[in-house]
Amino acid sequence: MTKKYFIMICFTLFMGWSVSSYSQEIKFFEGTFEEALAKAKSESKLVFVDFYATWCGPCKQMAEKVFTDEEVGKYMNEKFVCMQINVETAGWQKETAEKFNVTVLPTLVFFKTDASVASRLAGAREKDDFLGAAKVACGEQLSFVKLYDRAKSKKDLTDMQMVLKQAPDYVGGLQGIEAQKWIVRINKLYDEYVKAKLVPDFINKADFQIVQNYSQGKKKEKDDAVMEFIAKNLETYMNKLGEAPGILMVEYNNAVIEQLARAGKDEYKKYLERINGDLEPAYAIMPTGTLTPYEKFKYYYDGMYLMSYKKDAESYVQLMNKYLAALGDKVGANDYGEIAQNMYVMSKGKLNNEQLEQVKDWLVKAMQYEGTGIIDRINFVAMLGDTYKALKQFDKAKEAYNQGYMEALQIENKMRSAQLQMIMKRKLQALELAK
């Protein structure tokens, strides 16, 4: 399969795939997609499809918590022919998933009997969101397009909020020019909405979730009006909504600092100072070991400035070793891995042997820590292989790439595992050519 599936974050145990037989839950049709469409047409119903994979934790969460709900089961069984499609089963199931651009698991699609999409959700959902999408499909609630048209014509903030909440799912089901067209429309609507709502009433869970969704896809620009509103009202946000607003502000401010440092602009220091200023409550929630948040990020971004703009690898190495010493026994795998990656990437690999040896040393130390996430370990070992290759230590490079390949085999997400295996194979092939 050429599609790439992404697991939505879920903090539940990966329990065995099962759907119990209580009468009040959703009853799933056993048959092909075409047979489900025909059955729905004969019964004057629509078709609901749960696109899933057996390894997908959020898919299991939906099966255990939503599909077994009595209200959900009653409504869905009355209005829909319901079925489940395993996106990894060869044949019509896999082909159907690809046809309808299923790239997130689970994907929950409500079809008309002509196989056109009436409503769609990407990722696990709570009961109310799921039922809302089903009712849109049945015409009991306004469709996304009609709701968008009403919001644009009336400039009603409630309608605009509903559109912005639903937009990621709707646009996620589109492709090509149609998707790009809607992205432009929704981004424009978002700008209009937040411009009208940057008042105390904007501090609520629904609007904050909208900001979270739209900030992910936008380039982090300094002095962004929405982010500055959150910063100005940070204490109120965190009192109402917990740590999430603080985390968002740390991500935003760090992104601004990094952009400026990489561009060689001294202005990055102004945003660095915010760590001890108006954003101190946000950074206070971050564990930074023996260093204060300001000290930790000053080391990190000062080093980035030296490496990216001034191309001063020697000063970078000195500063980063001082940074690692200051961390003391709180230093971890990611500390070594990140500074090695920054040095290698920002120099575009143009390092002398002494500097490459330093990168190698940091990466070897990163690999010695237990409990490191498997994706991080693969990233570290791939960089280590690249470093050995640059040092012309080809046997060690081969050993590192083979280790990365073996690590990739352990990833439960089969699509992600296959992708990383292919990357390692290509590195091994390139290594043979370089010898």
Side-chain angles (χ1 to χ4, degrees):
M1 182 184 295
T2 58
K3 295 285 185 182
K4 181 169 65 176
Y5 296 92
F6 297 94
I7 304 175
M8 306 295 284
I9 296 173
C10 176
F11 296 99
T12 58
L13 294 176
F14 281 17
M15 301 170 65
W17 180 267
S18 65
V19 178
S20 59
S21 58
Y22 294 120
S23 60
Q24 71 267 29
E25 66 184 26
I26 293 180
K27 296 177 182 177
F28 289 105
F29 173 70
E30 297 290 339
T32 68
F33 181 59
E34 295 299 327
E35 290 169 345
L37 292 172
K39 180 177 173 63
K41 187 173 184 178
S42 69
E43 297 178 2
S44 298
K45 293 182 177 181
L46 302 179
V47 174
F48 163 65
V49 179
D50 167 33
F51 289 95
Y52 76 98
T54 55
W55 46 260
C56 168
C59 301
K60 297 169 188 170
Q61 181 184 21
M62 289 290 297
E64 294 162 5
K65 294 185 177 181
V66 178
F67 298 161
T68 56
D69 181 87
E70 182 174 0
E71 183 183 359
V72 170
K74 184 175 185 298
Y75 185 85
M76 296 300 295
N77 292 332
E78 287 179 359
K79 304 284 187 178
F80 295 86
V81 172
C82 303
M83 68 180 305
Q84 294 177 300
I85 291 180
N86 187 332
V87 300
E88 294 187 328
T89 299
W92 69 267
Q93 295 193 61
K94 184 177 178 181
E95 290 167 3
T96 304
E98 293 179 346
K99 178 179 179 180
F100 293 104
N101 193 34
V102 175
T103 56
V104 173
L105 295 181
T107 288
L108 313 164
V109 186
F110 306 86
F111 291 96
K112 298 177 183 178
T113 53
D114 63 357
S116 61
V117 176
S119 185
R120 176 181 178 125
L121 295 173
R125 288 295 191 277
E126 298 295 333
K127 168 185 170 180
D128 290 345
D129 280 349
F130 178 72
L131 279 177
K135 290 176 181 178
V136 167
C138 292
E140 296 174 15
Q141 292 183 11
L142 282 180
S143 69
F144 177 82
V145 174
K146 289 182 178 178
L147 183 61
Y148 171 82
D149 289 340
R150 191 172 79 178
K152 283 294 293 178
S153 63
K154 293 186 177 182
K155 302 295 182 182
D156 180 82
L157 292 177
T158 300
D159 281 350
M160 293 170 79
Q161 184 189 68
M162 291 176 65
V163 169
L164 293 170
K165 287 174 67 176
Q166 295 178 22
D169 290 318
Y170 180 79
V171 177
L174 303 176
Q175 300 183 56
I177 295 175
E178 190 68 13
Q180 291 301 317
K181 179 175 69 177
W182 275 102
I183 289 171
V184 171
R185 288 174 176 174
I186 297 304
N187 283 335
K188 184 177 180 181
L189 186 72
Y190 172 75
D191 290 339
E192 292 175 3
Y193 179 72
V194 296
K195 185 177 181 180
K197 285 209 69 175
L198 287 184
V199 294
D201 183 53
F202 191 59
I203 308 174
N204 61 77
K205 183 178 180 180
D207 282 329
F208 179 70
Q209 288 176 337
I210 288 172
V211 171
Q212 283 182 302
N213 287 337
Y214 288 88
S215 66
Q216 291 175 6
K218 294 183 68 175
K219 182 180 178 182
K220 305 300 187 292
E221 301 286 354
K222 64 180 183 178
D223 305 327
D224 178 276
V226 177
M227 294 302 167
E228 291 306 320
F229 177 85
I230 296 175
K232 184 178 179 180
N233 297 278
L234 187 56
E235 184 176 351
T236 303
Y237 265 101
M238 294 181 70
N239 286 338
K240 282 189 174 183
L241 305 176
E243 293 184 349
I247 294 171
L248 181 65
M249 287 310 304
V250 169
E251 292 173 350
Y252 163 72
N253 194 55
N254 282 357
V256 171
I257 296 171
E258 180 169 338
Q259 288 171 17
L260 294 170
R262 283 181 179 273
K265 296 182 179 179
D266 284 343
E267 193 181 4
Y268 83 93
K269 297 175 183 177
K270 168 187 170 183
Y271 294 88
L272 194 61
E273 293 299 323
R274 295 187 75 176
I275 297 174
N276 280 339
D278 61 334
L279 299 184
E280 184 175 7
Y283 281 87
I285 65 179
M286 296 191 61
T288 53
T290 55
L291 298 176
T292 66
Y294 176 78
E295 290 170 336
K296 179 179 176 68
F297 289 110
K298 179 171 171 53
Y299 273 120
Y300 189 78
Y301 291 116
D302 282 354
M304 189 171 287
Y305 177 81
L306 284 170
M307 195 66 230
S308 183
Y309 177 63
K310 295 199 171 182
K311 313 298 182 188
D312 190 347
E314 183 178 348
S315 295
Y316 176 83
V317 169
Q318 292 175 358
L319 183 63
M320 291 299 100
N321 281 328
K322 184 178 178 181
Y323 167 55
L324 294 169
L327 287 172
D329 60 1
K330 299 298 182 181
V331 69
N334 285 334
D335 296 309
Y336 284 112
E338 286 177 359
I339 64 175
Q341 179 169 290
N342 285 343
M343 184 169 175
Y344 202 94
V345 171
M346 290 188 287
S347 68
K348 298 181 180 179
K350 296 177 181 179
L351 300 171
N352 60 37
N353 281 0
E354 182 180 354
Q355 292 159 355
L356 286 167
E357 287 289 347
Q358 177 63 81
V359 171
K360 181 194 75 174
D361 180 61
W362 285 335
L363 290 169
V364 168
K365 288 177 179 176
M367 294 294 296
Q368 292 172 353
Y369 286 82
E370 295 182 0
T372 306
I374 191 166
I375 298 297
D376 286 334
R377 284 185 61 81
I378 293 171
N379 184 36
F380 296 157
V381 79
M383 284 194 292
L384 184 57
D386 292 345
T387 306
Y388 280 131
K389 179 182 175 183
L391 288 166
K392 301 188 183 306
Q393 297 176 18
F394 298 124
D395 288 343
K396 289 186 176 181
K398 183 177 181 180
E399 182 180 335
Y401 292 147
N402 280 328
Q403 181 181 346
Y405 181 85
M406 296 304 296
E407 296 269 7
L409 291 173
Q410 300 176 38
I411 297 175
E412 187 173 6
N413 181 330
K414 293 180 182 179
M415 295 302 103
R416 183 62 170 153
S417 174
Q419 181 188 37
L420 290 171
Q421 289 173 49
M422 182 59 66
I423 290 173
M424 292 303 162
K425 284 182 179 179
R426 288 172 179 168
K427 286 183 175 292
L428 285 164
Q429 291 168 356
L431 181 63
E432 291 302 314
L433 295 174
K435 287 183 179 181

